[in-house]
Each structure stands twice: as C-alpha cells, then as structure tokens.
Amino acid sequence: MSTAVLQHPPPTTPQRRPLAAKLKAPGWYRVLWTTPLGFGLCYGLVTGIRAVSGYTPVLSGKAITTTSLIGVPFAFLIGLGAFDYWFYWAAGRRTRPEDHSGHGAHSWRDYFRVNTDHKVIGIQYVVNSFFFFLVGGLLAELMRAELASPGAQFMSANSFNELFSVHASLLIFLFIIPVFAGLANFVLPLMIGAPDMAFPRLNALSFWLLPIAGIMMVASFLAPGGAFSTGWTAYAPLSTNVPLGQTFFTIAVQFAGASSIATALNFLVTIITMRAPGMSFFRMPLLVWANFSTSLLVVIATPFIAASQFLVLLDRALGFHFFDAGSGGNVVMYQHIFWFYSHPAVYIMMLPGFGIVSEVLSVKARKPIFGYRMMAFSLLAIVVLGFTVWAHHMFTSGMQAWIRIPMMITTAIIAVPTGIKIFSWLATLWRGILRVDTPMLFVYGFLTMFTLGGISGVMLAMIPIDIHVSGTYFIVAHIHYVLFGGSLFTIFAGVYYWFPKMTGRMYDETLGKLHFWLTFIGFNLTFGPMHILGLQGMPRRVADYASKFAGLNLFISIAAFALGLSTFVFLYNVISSWRGGPRAGANPWRALTLEWQVSSPPPVFNFDTIPTVVGGPYEYGVQDAVHGIFQPAVSAGGGSGGSGGAAGVGGGGDGPAGTAHGPARE
Amino acid sequence: MEAASVSIPVEHDDHHHGPPEANRSSRVDPQLLGMLLFIISEVMLFAAFFTAYFFLRVVNHDAWPAKGTSLPIPVAGTNAAILLSSSLTMHWALTSAKGGNRRGMKTGLLMTFLLGMTFLTVQINEYVHIGFAPHDTAQGSIFYGLTGLHGAHVFIGLTLLLFANVRAFRGHFSPEAHRGVEIPGIYWHFVDIMWVVVYSTVYLL
C-alpha cells in the first residue's frame, strides 16, 4: 500500500567540531555572532548618518530600534544559513551539490535548522503557529479577566488596547494564515505527487521569517510606551502618532507578509508545474484548489498591506505626510489600502479551511464530493469577488457615501459562492455512510458555526444594520464566528485528520471528542452572547463598560476561561500521542488522495517513483475506483512519462464511472 | 471496498538516495513562472503607492506638484531614456548568451549594470537639487514615495544584475544554461516599464 519507508541515512553524528568551525558553519553558533554584529552595524549606521547630517541628539533610541528591527532579522537569518546557497550562487562560486542532507528530520534539533524538506517545514509551521496561538489565546483570557466586571480591574485602559491589538495581530498573522500554509506545506506536494515544493530554499526562508515576525510582535510589550495599541487594523493617523511599540507591528507585518507572498508563489508554481502525470486541474483534490485560490489572493492582495505599513513607517520614521491631513495627506486612503488587502485576507484565512473540509467530509461520508467542479469554480469566484467588497469595512469611515451601495451589493453577492460550497457539503453528507470521529465533528462544528457567522456577515453587509452595530461587540461576535467557528474549527479538523500522516501516530479519539465538545460549547457560550451585547450597543475595544452589561460579561468571561481550558485537552492529546500514541497505518481513513498512499510519516523523498493519476480524488463508494497508481519499478528509470504502461498494470485500475477519461496529460 | 490504490510490489532499491524526478506538468519554466508571479505582486505594491497619488489628485483635488515647486521633467526624461536603453542592452546580453556569444553577453550585462547605476546616480542628484523634501508636503511625500519605491526596485534589479555579471565574468552561463541571465533580465524589464508608468503619472500627468 505504501512505498517502502526509505532507510534513513544514519544521522550525522554530532562529532566534536572545533569551535571555530561551528562559528563558521550555518547554525545557532553563527547566529550568536551575526545577530549582535547586525545590531552593531545598524547602531553604527544610524548614529553615523545622524552625526554627519547634524541631527541632535546623535544617539536616538527610536531611530536605532527602527533600523535594527529591519536589519537584525537579516543578520539572524544569515547566521542561521537561510541565504548561504544564494550567496555562493551570487558570488559565482561552486554551489555545494545538493546532498539532501537538509531533507528529513532525525531529531528535534533538525526542526531548529534551515531545513528544505517540505514535510519538516510543514511541521515547523504548524508548531510555530500553535505556539503563537497559545500566546494569543492567553492575551484574550487576560482581556476577559479585565472585562469580567465593569470598572478597571487590574490594568490600565491602554494596556487593554495593547492586549487586543497583539491578540488579533498574533492570531491573524502568526496563527491562522501560516497554520494553513503549514498544513498545506506538508500535505500539498504529497497530494499532487511531487517530491517537494518548487523552491525548497525559498520555502525554508518563508518559514524562518515567521518566528521573527511573531517575536517582534510579542517583544513590542518591552518597548517604551508599551506594545502597539491601535488594533490589528492600525488605522492612521492614530498609528502614526503612538509610541515606539507601533513600529514593531509595522515591521513585523512586513516579515509575515513577505513570508506569506513567498509561500504563495511557491504553492502556485508547485501546483502548476509539478503535478503528477494524469493529474489534470480537475483531478486535483479540493485542498489543492483551495490553496491555489488562496495563493492567488495572497500574491495579488498582500502587497497592499505591505504598502500600507511602508507608508505608515515612512510617516513615523522619516516624517512623511501620507496620512497628515494638515499637509494634504488623506487618512481614509489608509483604510482603502488596508482593506483592499484585509478583505481578501479574510478569504486567505478561510479558503484553505474550505479545502480541508472538502477532504475530511468526503472521506468521512464515504461519498464523492457533491459538485466538484462547482466547488472549484466557487473558490475562483470568491477570489475575484473578494477584491470588490473591501469598502464594506468602511461604511462609517466618512468615505464617499455612494461607494457603500455597490459594496453592499457585491458583499451580498459573495455569499452566493460561499453558499454553493455549504450546500454542496450538505449534499455530500446526504445519504453518506457517516463516520463521526474527531475531524468530522470539527467539520460539523465548522458547517454550523461558519454558517451562523456567514449570516451575520450578510446582515453586516446591509448598510443600515452595519451603521447601527459598527464598532460594537456584534462585530466581535461576527469575526469570531467566522475565524474561530470557521477557520479554527477547520484547522483542528485538519490537524486531527493529518495527525497520523504527520507524526506516524494516532491521536486519542476520546480526548479528541472531548476537546471538540468543550470547544464547541465554550465557543458558543463565549461568543454567542456578544451578538446581544453588540445589538444593545456595547462598544468593542474598550476596557470598561456600562454596568447594565455586567451580567452577560461575567458570563462570557467564565465561558472564555472554560474555552481556554479546553485547549489543554488538545495539547495533552497531541503531545502525548506524538510521543507515545499507537502507530498509525499508512491509510487509517481509507482515503484515496495520494498523501495516504505512502507510509506514515511519509518517506524522506515522498515517493520512490512519482505516481500516475488515473481518476478523480473523491470516488468513494464507487466500485473499483482508483485515484493514483504507482508505476512498476521497470519504468522508474524512464522517469515520469506516465505513458501507457501505467494504466495496464492497475488490474482493474480503470477510472471509475463518471470520471473524465482524459488522456494522462492535458 | 474501493481500493485506495493499486500498488505494485516493487523491489526497492535501498541505495536510492535522491528524490524521484518531479513530473513537469506545465511547459512553463518554474523559475520563470515564479518571477512572473513575483512581478505581479510587485505591480500591486506600486498600485498601492499609486493609490496615495490618485487620492491626492482625484479625491483631494490638490495641486500637483505642490505650489511653488516644480519637477525637472527634462532631466527625468533623459533618465528614462537611459533606463530604457538599458533594456536593449539587457536583451542583447540574453540573445548573446543564447547564441553562445560570451563577449556580447558580458558586454551587454556590464552595460546594463552601468546604465542602471547612471540612472540611480541621476535620480539621487535630482533629489538633491529638486528643492523640496518629503516632509514638506503630502505632494513631496508622494513624489519621494513613488520615485523612491522605484529607485529601491532599481537597486534590487542592480543587485541581481551584479550577481549575473559576477557569474558571467567567472565563466558561468552557456547557450543551454542561461537562466541566470534571463530571470534578472525579466525583472529588469519590469523595472524599466514601471519607470515609464511612474514617469508618465508623476512627472507628465
């Protein structure tokens, strides 16, 4: 059923190398001196320029910090070895031939290196994301503690602003967006029958940009004046006038954004150029489709948030006037640029989840996915429509009033492709042979909660309602129903679903179900009442509130603590199962897609020979259905021709009825 | 039960130490596609900066350039000619590389690099003599923002060209393997075309 697990080459034993060699070789020893050196260079550069230009004071902590935030991460990456190959290449020296020593992980230490194996990078992504998920969640609990009763409990109003700003930024830029990229990083090349991503070194670099961004955001708490406190939206001119902590956000977003764009490029090129023979676009699993669409969104939209933060940085650091109305700048312009990214970004945070749901649902219902092509087309429709709705975030911003009408209409329209997907999933469930285990429970949770979030989204599209509830807890409820009830539930579904594949171990089903029910109930008790609070007019992003809201807020806070505790069930389950869970077979879910046709965890190079795809990915319950077959060894030498021989050896390996019998290649 | 897959018992070669050759499912070269997608995201970055420009001119109806300042249209125009001619030398370098003309490739790459350097020098000189600073007015901010963003891209392009030059002069590239000339070349053409757009909007419009 699987290609044999490749014999791991013996781990390169950490021989005692002289210190000088350690300091020279890529790795943490080199980081130890390149990072301070980078800081020294930034310090010297800024101070030198200020001295030459006659600025007083010559030593400016603000200027040095700003420059170091940009420069030191590069010094760190150079030390770690993220650029070594390119330096060799650029200098025209002989690049070291790829010995694949960067592939696979032999011990936990290998996860702290620049590793070019997409499976290692995928796990790095996921673990890193969940680390910041915990940090972001902790900040939320602190907020709920403050909000447990009216009046100030234990923090200043500004500390509260810092908490919700860092909470949102971490969970959006360091959790939801990258964790999807991480899951796809692990699974996608396997799914399309590729040995790795198209640009493995770029892939490694995109990962290492992320912890930098995350640490920068968290480190902003140490900045004089506190962390950034302008929300994750960082509206100008507020963001151009607050203390230094804001700069940490401005620059951290650049690193997270660059990581995002690089990964998206990588996914697009991988999907377009590295599919297995026979895998036409309409034989791709929907997760691949979802990441294809998401990557398009990222490539086109993410530069806008980069630009918005560049403009803020220029205003902050060099005294530009992009957002200074007194000098001819325009503050609404910030919101337009920001939301032109950040509305597509909500689809960047949702479409990969749609992909996960399609995978899990079809396998667990033992039925072909309903309306496969419409599922794919609706993803593309969301990509296109996603760019036409940004100003619905700005109905109360003071922009030209007429823009609100077309934005209301497009926003209502974009619910249509989303509705197509929801109904297709429901139709997939119809008369399926349902296996309701943990991943499936989370899919159910997603279907119900995301639909609720989607409905409140359509409500918010209506201008009068939006104006009424703008800036209230209704918005908080809505965004958490789509991002927590939507995205996070699909993330949990995906993590449980691919856990056996990623770790080679099975998670504990009972604990998984317990985790789901605690999360599901805790989530609804926490965020459900916020709808009511919002309609009654309780403003969001404020540390204090009127005493009439006290009862519900105490209730929400208690529920939020319970919800937080449910995470420990997940953590315990994942950690203990990873360390000592029962071994998982290659294909515990009896799934058709290619990642399940190799051992768990997959061999170092994924496949001995590239499989040939002969049918659709979701032909469950169809007699003799086959998605991919492995070629016999004899044709391995011939590379990946995917020619006639492959189909013949299948022994009934003909595609199922109803699948397009196209030629092996388009 | 539907068969998950039909697997063929294969005699595994235990000394198989490399990944299998990936199937090429598209005729497009991966590096080329990657660069084109990157250019799309770069175009969007410029688009965001242009948003600031058009907000000032279309929404605010402010004067352009700010009252009492003027833009050196002829100087920048000459500079545009310099940059555009570097696209020609770049193309020459690539054609030579494909045709096995090493001397032409090296000369073309070097000339492109030098023309690009000239452009940057003229641009910086223009900044010095232009008579307004980015922190004077929003017009100043937008002027320096757009031309500076473009200048940064010229700098990135020059860095890539520097690598290509170093490699060319150290004997790399051949008619079969010239991707290291082609890919920076595409980026360079993008930088040039972007200047046409920036020049027409910022200086001429």
Side-chain angles (χ1 to χ4, degrees):
Chain A
M1 190 126 300
S2 73
T3 58
V5 186
L6 278 180
Q7 210 67 50
H8 282 271
T12 42
T13 43
Q15 289 154 346
R16 290 200 154 273
R17 282 194 299 175
L19 189 63
K22 279 182 182 167
L23 289 173
K24 228 180 126 196
W28 289 92
Y29 280 98
R30 203 166 75 179
V31 166
L32 283 180
W33 64 267
T34 52
T35 312
L37 182 70
F39 176 72
L41 284 176
C42 293
Y43 188 99
L45 186 74
V46 172
T47 314
I49 290 177
R50 288 181 75 89
V52 169
S53 324
Y55 287 115
T56 49
V58 171
L59 270 184
S60 158
K62 223 172 183 173
I64 292 171
T65 312
T66 307
T67 318
S68 303
L69 284 175
I70 301 168
V72 171
F74 284 101
F76 167 79
L77 289 171
I78 289 170
L80 205 58
F83 298 113
D84 271 35
Y85 177 89
W86 290 313
F87 285 155
Y88 276 88
W89 188 90
R93 286 161 65 180
R94 261 160 50 89
T95 45
R96 295 173 198 153
E98 175 70 89
D99 60 353
H100 306 292
S101 59
H103 269 73
H106 307 293
S107 78
W108 59 272
R109 286 191 189 83
D110 285 338
Y111 290 100
F112 290 87
R113 295 195 177 118
V114 178
N115 199 310
T116 52
D117 185 342
H118 75 95
K119 298 181 288 302
V120 176
I121 296 174
I123 288 174
Q124 285 177 324
Y125 258 101
V126 173
V127 173
N128 177 67
S129 306
F130 270 99
F131 172 76
F132 287 107
F133 166 70
L134 295 178
V135 179
L138 184 68
L139 300 178
E141 300 297 348
L142 289 174
M143 270 188 281
R144 281 322 311 181
E146 169 63 35
L147 289 173
S149 65
Q153 316 307 321
F154 58 93
M155 67 176 75
S156 68
N158 198 53
S159 307
F160 184 82
N161 295 349
E162 292 167 19
L163 285 185
F164 71 70
S165 304
V166 183
H167 161 78
S169 307
L170 281 180
L171 290 183
I172 287 170
F173 294 115
L174 269 301
F175 178 62
I176 295 183
I177 295 176
V179 80
F180 279 132
L183 285 171
N185 228 311
F186 192 99
V187 172
L188 192 144
L190 287 160
M191 268 186 170
I192 63 169
D196 205 322
M197 297 279 276
F199 307 121
R201 279 177 289 266
L202 185 66
N203 202 12
L205 176 65
S206 359
F207 165 71
W208 279 102
L209 292 171
L210 278 174
I212 292 173
I215 288 167
M216 212 177 274
M217 284 185 184
V218 177
S220 70
F221 279 110
L222 305 174
F228 52 97
S229 55
T230 55
W232 79 281
T233 51
Y235 275 5
L238 181 60
S239 55
T240 57
N241 289 304
V242 287
L244 188 59
Q246 187 66 36
T247 307
F248 285 70
F249 171 83
T250 306
I251 295 171
V253 167
Q254 303 293 2
F255 283 103
S259 156
S260 213
I261 294 176
T263 311
L265 286 181
N266 222 337
F267 279 140
L268 284 173
V269 176
T270 308
I271 294 168
I272 293 173
T273 67
M274 292 174 73
R275 279 167 290 127
M279 180 166 281
S280 61
F281 260 81
F282 286 106
R283 279 180 181 171
M284 294 195 310
L286 283 169
L287 182 95
V288 181
W289 266 107
N291 278 285
F292 183 79
S293 318
T294 309
S295 301
L296 281 177
L297 279 172
V298 171
V299 166
I300 300 172
T302 308
F304 263 71
I305 194 170
S308 73
Q309 299 311 312
F310 276 134
L311 299 181
V312 168
L313 186 65
L314 289 171
D315 267 22
R316 288 181 60 86
L318 299 175
F320 280 44
H321 294 299
F322 287 110
F323 307 117
D324 179 2
S327 305
N330 192 318
V331 292
V332 178
M333 184 247 307
Y334 176 88
Q335 299 185 26
H336 278 291
I337 297 179
F338 178 82
W339 287 114
F340 195 77
Y341 161 73
S342 293
H343 193 81
V346 307
Y347 298 106
I348 293 170
M349 291 181 258
M350 198 60 257
L351 295 190
F354 288 172
I356 293 173
V357 169
S358 299
E359 296 302 319
V360 176
L361 203 67
S362 183
V363 170
K364 302 288 175 189
R366 310 310 302 172
K367 269 186 66 190
I369 201 94
F370 183 88
Y372 171 87
R373 285 192 181 226
M374 280 315 287
M375 291 290 248
F377 286 134
S378 55
L379 286 168
L380 294 179
I382 291 174
V383 170
V384 176
L385 286 170
F387 285 106
T388 62
V389 299
W390 77 92
H392 69 212
H393 296 271
M394 301 165 56
F395 284 167
T396 58
S397 69
M399 65 174 180
Q400 297 85 335
W402 63 267
I403 301 180
R404 298 188 291 193
I405 309 292
M407 290 294 161
M408 172 174 81
I409 295 168
T410 51
T411 308
I413 290 175
I414 204 168
V416 173
T418 318
I420 290 175
K421 299 195 77 72
I422 296 278
F423 284 111
S424 296
W425 287 319
L426 293 181
T428 309
L429 287 172
W430 178 255
R431 294 190 170 174
I433 302 162
L434 304 178
R435 187 179 146 70
V436 187
D437 52 7
T438 311
M440 190 62 157
L441 278 174
F442 274 103
V443 166
Y444 285 175
F446 159 82
L447 285 175
T448 46
M449 295 304 102
F450 181 75
T451 305
L452 287 181
I455 289 172
S456 62
V458 177
M459 286 169 71
L460 287 169
M462 303 305 135
I463 300 167
I465 296 180
D466 184 273
I467 290 174
H468 178 64
V469 297
S470 211
T472 69
Y473 265 80
F474 194 85
I475 306 292
V476 180
H478 165 69
I479 198 176
H480 284 94
Y481 264 80
V482 288
L483 286 187
F484 195 125
S487 305
L488 183 56
F489 278 21
T490 67
I491 291 165
F492 279 135
V495 168
Y496 281 115
Y497 180 70
W498 282 296
F499 188 82
K501 185 52 65 184
M502 294 173 104
T503 62
R505 305 275 184 168
M506 211 57 193
Y507 61 86
D508 187 309
E509 190 63 52
T510 318
L511 284 178
K513 283 182 174 156
L514 178 70
H515 172 224
F516 168 75
W517 285 111
L518 288 178
T519 311
F520 186 78
I521 295 168
F523 162 75
N524 276 296
L525 296 181
T526 305
F527 297 106
M530 288 187 186
H531 289 109
I532 304 166
L533 283 176
L535 288 173
Q536 290 173 351
M538 177 172 162
R540 63 171 178 161
R541 293 179 165 177
V542 182
D544 195 4
Y545 51 86
S547 52
K548 65 171 175 171
F549 301 126
L552 266 182
N553 268 292
L554 182 60
F555 179 80
I556 290 174
S557 287
I558 293 169
F561 297 144
L563 178 59
L565 290 178
S566 76
T567 309
F568 289 102
V569 179
F570 168 73
L571 284 181
Y572 173 78
N573 192 359
V574 166
I575 293 172
S576 66
S577 303
W578 199 341
R579 288 170 60 92
R583 297 270 176 199
N587 194 355
W589 315 127
R590 296 190 295 128
L592 283 173
T593 42
L594 293 177
E595 84 272 25
W596 296 105
Q597 316 313 326
V598 294
S599 60
S600 300
V604 183
F605 299 119
N606 295 357
F607 305 100
D608 274 3
T609 52
I610 298 295
T612 301
V613 173
V614 294
Y618 299 120
E619 306 300 325
Y620 300 105
V622 178
Q623 194 65 40
D624 294 333
V626 175
H627 175 49
I629 55 173
F630 288 97
Q631 292 168 321
V634 281
S635 72
S640 48
S643 51
V649 295
D654 264 7
T659 308
H661 277 280
R665 296 180 62 155
E666 306 173 42
Chain B
M1 167 195 162
E2 61 282 340
S5 86
V6 179
S7 65
I8 318 298
V10 174
E11 279 296 313
H12 282 293
D13 176 10
D14 283 341
H15 303 288
H16 177 56
H17 275 316
E21 183 89 13
N23 181 49
R24 286 288 294 276
S25 51
S26 163
R27 268 168 300 184
V28 187
D29 184 56
Q31 273 83 1
L32 180 69
L33 183 62
M35 180 48 90
L36 292 179
L37 289 166
F38 180 61
I39 286 175
I40 290 177
S41 77
E42 293 275 51
V43 169
M44 293 309 286
L45 184 63
F46 274 94
F49 273 68
F50 273 113
T51 311
Y53 170 85
F54 283 109
F55 256 84
L56 182 108
R57 297 206 57 182
V58 179
V59 179
N60 289 10
H61 293 297
D62 282 354
W64 183 268
K67 283 196 185 67
T69 59
S70 63
L71 299 175
I73 294 171
V75 179
T78 317
N79 219 5
I82 294 172
L83 196 59
L84 286 180
S85 59
S86 76
S87 257
L88 298 178
T89 57
M90 187 69 230
H91 187 71
W92 178 41
L94 181 61
T95 324
S96 308
K98 281 179 179 166
N101 175 3
R102 291 203 60 84
R103 178 202 279 265
M105 173 184 75
K106 285 194 272 191
T107 321
L109 278 173
L110 189 63
M111 279 179 69
T112 315
F113 183 76
L114 292 177
L115 285 168
M117 288 295 282
T118 317
F119 175 87
L120 263 196
T121 317
V122 174
Q123 181 81 50
I124 291 167
N125 195 45
E126 186 186 319
Y127 283 171
V128 172
H129 296 288
I130 201 159
F132 60 86
H135 47 78
D136 289 347
T137 54
Q139 284 91 337
S141 303
I142 290 165
F143 172 81
Y144 279 94
L146 268 171
T147 54
L149 181 70
H150 181 265
H153 282 79
V154 174
F155 181 77
I156 297 168
L158 282 175
T159 315
L160 296 180
L161 280 177
L162 180 68
F163 298 161
N165 268 295
V166 170
R167 283 178 69 82
F169 279 85
R170 294 190 69 158
H172 290 269
F173 304 134
S174 64
E176 294 78 37
H178 50 265
R179 201 185 276 137
V181 183
E182 191 178 2
I183 304 291
I186 292 169
Y187 190 78
W188 190 252
H189 294 315
F190 154 71
V191 169
D192 290 1
I193 293 166
M194 213 60 224
W195 178 249
V196 176
V197 179
V198 172
Y199 178 69
S200 338
T201 34
V202 171
Y203 288 85
L204 301 180
L205 194 67

